[in-house]
Amino acid sequence: IENDLVRAELAGLSGNDDAYEALMSDLSMALEHLDEVAQCQDGDENTLVDALQSAGKCYWSLGMLDESRELYEDALTRLISIHNDDASTDGQPPDHPTIASTLHTLGSIHARSGDPTEATRWYESALAMKKRVYGKRAFHPEIGKTLNGLAMLKVHASEDSSEATHSHGMDEDWEQAMRLFEEAERNYRYFGLDRGDGGRTGSIKEAHGSNGGMHRNDDYTDHPDVASICENMALLHRRSGDHQAAFLRYKEALRIRTAGAENSSDNDTSEVDNVTLGLKLSVADCLRAMSKWDEAAEIYEKALAGHLKAKTVETNSRKEDRSDGSSWLPFARESELSEDGDDDDEEESGTALESVIRHNLGLIHAEMGRFDQALAEYDTSRRIKIALAGDTHPEVASTLNAIGALYGAKGEPERALAHFRQALYIYRLHSAELGEDDPDVVNTQRNIRLIEKSGLKTGKEDRLTMM
């Protein structure tokens, strides 16, 4: 099951169903190379470190974190030994860029493993060493990378806290995260400059005799890591309800990703296309949250058309390449495949992304009073979700709830209640931990009460929740 989840995740990120097999092949070659280097008695220790880290990176990409951690810890021990002549007298590891980078990687492994305490310890060690290596007054992308990692730990700490408020402003962890993200971004954009008098951001100067003022490093302003940082900040703004700020950050991330794709010599752009598509949908989500319905709908519709076109091409290509009558289908259920292994219905069943886009288009049509168009989009979304995940998945309930709100707005209380009650049944199936306090259960019960109590005569303060 774990391998299937990793396989599905990789397929979703890369747009390629064979991504898992490709990484497994890379891992096999990396381990073979590592074995050869380890057995070479006269081999260079640095070569062995490189081999350990290459295999560790493959394990990381496959989600095999324990194996990745062991190899990186072995590499770190060897790096400390190699550079031991530079070690400080207090027993701390010697300051070296590769050691600092390895400390950061171990922090990221612990973060991904769900151990924020250990992740923080490794990240902070990496950050301190990087500042010593690159200069406390200097900007450097490596410093920015670790600041970004620490910021993400703050985000997750806030999400895990029962006292965090996601809809009205930022809590302390989120405010700290935002400051770390901003400092991380500056370390990329102003790489090669120093902080001037006292390290104040407003007095940045070129490192080697400048005229002063704010100068950006063009080589790093559009670095992919800057796009990731912008996306992280956008997520914070979005969850705190500042959709305008989130919109601007998503737009900047999209600009960087698009520019990178245009300048790339890599012929396989499927992963980049998936990332830019996700960013376009995030931009549309922000526009929808700001009630800019037409602008949001235009982006959703273009994204849907592009996704369906790409899906058709991929499906046709898969049919042409298939020789054994079978293939691995992400999220497919056995009932979706015919007895002879033919999956001609795959294209008709739709994808998870299509269901999300159609649901959001339904929300926009409903807000603009185009009820028939909204119902058509909702119904298609619901059918796709059922085909992919079964009829009791929470995503199915979300669309049922939206359909109920639509019928409520149309003045059809019986149909509204029927859909709300179906949604409530599904939400309760998945609310074992919170019970009746589950937010989805609470909102759906509220919708039912509004229908039953007011007979659909609801004002702005008693608006049905479409989710």
Side-chain angles (χ1 to χ4, degrees):
I1 294 176
E2 183 176 343
N3 287 344
D4 286 343
L5 291 174
V6 174
R7 189 193 298 263
E9 180 183 1
L10 290 169
L13 288 172
S14 67
N16 179 7
D17 287 348
D18 298 326
Y20 179 84
E21 284 73 16
L23 276 174
M24 287 298 295
S25 176
D26 290 344
L27 174 61
S28 178
M29 290 188 290
L31 291 175
E32 183 178 344
H33 176 62
L34 174 59
D35 187 55
E36 292 175 358
V37 173
Q39 292 182 19
C40 183
Q41 295 181 355
D42 299 328
D44 177 51
E45 191 75 356
N46 283 302
T47 303
L48 179 55
V49 168
D50 290 342
L52 285 166
Q53 292 186 332
S54 294
K57 184 177 181 181
C58 290
Y59 277 130
W60 158 269
S61 299
L62 287 162
M64 303 170 73
L65 301 179
D66 288 338
E67 293 85 348
S68 179
R69 176 182 52 78
E70 290 177 5
L71 292 182
Y72 274 106
E73 286 179 348
D74 190 355
L76 177 62
T77 300
R78 294 176 185 277
L79 281 167
I80 292 173
S81 177
I82 291 170
H83 300 285
N84 197 43
D85 290 343
D86 301 325
S88 60
T89 58
D90 60 1
Q92 295 299 313
D95 291 340
H96 190 275
T98 307
I99 293 177
S101 178
T102 305
L103 292 172
H104 172 95
T105 300
L106 285 165
S108 66
I109 291 171
H110 283 287
R112 191 174 173 189
S113 300
D115 189 348
T117 301
E118 275 297 291
T120 299
R121 185 173 70 86
W122 287 103
Y123 277 147
E124 288 180 346
S125 296
L127 181 61
M129 184 177 292
K130 287 178 179 182
K131 287 182 176 180
R132 292 193 299 269
V133 168
Y134 301 114
K136 291 183 178 180
R137 288 159 55 93
F139 292 97
H140 198 284
E142 280 295 324
I143 294 174
K145 182 185 296 185
T146 302
L147 288 168
N148 184 65
L150 285 167
M152 288 306 300
L153 290 178
K154 291 293 183 183
V155 173
H156 294 314
S158 177
E159 291 174 341
D160 293 340
S161 172
S162 60
E163 296 179 0
T165 303
H166 293 178
S167 56
H168 301 288
M170 296 187 181
D171 67 6
E172 183 178 352
D173 282 322
W174 279 20
E175 290 175 352
Q176 291 178 8
M178 184 60 76
R179 288 195 294 271
L180 288 168
F181 283 137
E182 290 170 348
E183 181 63 15
E185 181 185 26
R186 284 193 288 270
N187 271 276
Y188 283 91
R189 293 193 187 275
Y190 302 121
F191 173 45
L193 314 178
D194 71 22
R195 297 169 188 270
D197 182 27
R200 293 190 295 274
T201 303
S203 58
I204 295 172
K205 299 180 181 179
E206 291 184 12
H208 304 289
S210 79
N211 295 322
M214 300 286 282
H215 300 275
R216 295 194 176 193
N217 188 319
D218 292 337
D219 293 336
Y220 281 87
T221 294
D222 290 349
H223 193 282
D225 287 354
V226 177
S228 297
I229 293 168
C230 285
E231 292 172 52
N232 291 337
M233 286 193 282
L235 183 61
L236 278 184
H237 286 306
R238 188 172 172 183
R239 290 181 175 176
S240 67
D242 190 347
H243 298 288
Q244 176 64 30
F247 168 78
L248 294 175
R249 281 295 180 178
Y250 279 131
K251 289 281 284 185
E252 175 67 359
L254 181 58
R255 182 193 66 77
I256 295 172
R257 299 289 190 193
T258 303
E262 292 173 350
N263 297 328
S264 174
S265 58
D266 190 352
N267 292 326
D268 184 9
T269 61
S270 56
E271 184 171 354
V272 176
D273 290 342
N274 278 357
V275 171
T276 55
L277 176 59
L279 284 169
K280 289 175 182 177
L281 294 178
S282 294
V283 169
D285 290 342
C286 290
L287 289 169
R288 178 169 61 85
M290 293 187 288
S291 301
K292 297 184 178 181
W293 313 119
D294 289 331
E295 295 176 57
E298 182 180 1
I299 295 175
Y300 283 136
E301 287 167 353
K302 287 182 178 179
L304 179 60
H307 175 65
L308 294 178
K309 181 178 179 181
K311 175 188 159 194
T312 300
V313 171
E314 181 183 353
T315 301
N316 291 338
S317 175
R318 186 179 298 162
K319 290 178 181 178
E320 292 174 2
D321 293 343
R322 189 176 302 130
S323 58
D324 61 356
S326 64
S327 71
W328 181 84
L329 299 177
F331 311 116
R333 298 184 300 167
E334 292 181 4
S335 60
E336 294 176 8
L337 303 178
S338 59
E339 293 181 0
D340 61 1
D342 188 10
D343 57 356
D344 288 338
D345 292 335
E346 178 191 349
E347 184 173 352
E348 295 181 5
S349 68
T351 66
L353 182 59
E354 180 185 351
S355 72
V356 171
I357 296 175
R358 290 192 180 281
H359 178 98
N360 289 342
L361 280 170
L363 291 173
I364 290 174
H365 288 311
E367 289 287 355
M368 300 184 74
R370 299 194 289 252
F371 296 145
D372 290 343
Q373 291 172 267
L375 186 58
E377 297 290 2
Y378 284 148
D379 190 55
T380 302
S381 175
R382 179 186 59 82
R383 286 188 286 105
I384 293 173
K385 289 176 179 180
I386 290 174
L388 293 176
D391 54 10
T392 58
H393 193 278
E395 278 295 321
V396 176
S398 176
T399 300
L400 286 169
N401 197 68
I403 294 173
L406 180 65
Y407 279 122
K410 290 181 68 176
E412 300 182 37
E414 291 81 7
R415 287 186 171 183
L417 286 172
H419 285 85
F420 284 144
R421 287 166 178 159
Q422 280 183 277
L424 181 60
Y425 169 76
I426 296 171
Y427 283 138
R428 280 175 168 162
L429 289 177
H430 298 273
S431 64
E433 185 174 345
L434 296 177
E436 294 298 291
D437 292 329
D438 184 282
D440 292 325
V441 172
V442 171
N443 285 331
T444 307
Q445 287 180 321
R446 173 182 175 277
N447 285 343
I448 291 173
R449 286 196 301 271
L450 285 173
I451 294 292
E452 293 176 336
K453 179 180 178 181
S454 62
L456 300 176
K457 295 179 181 179
T458 59
K460 292 183 179 179
E461 294 182 356
D462 292 329
R463 190 172 183 178
L464 295 171
T465 304
M466 290 187 283
M467 297 183 185

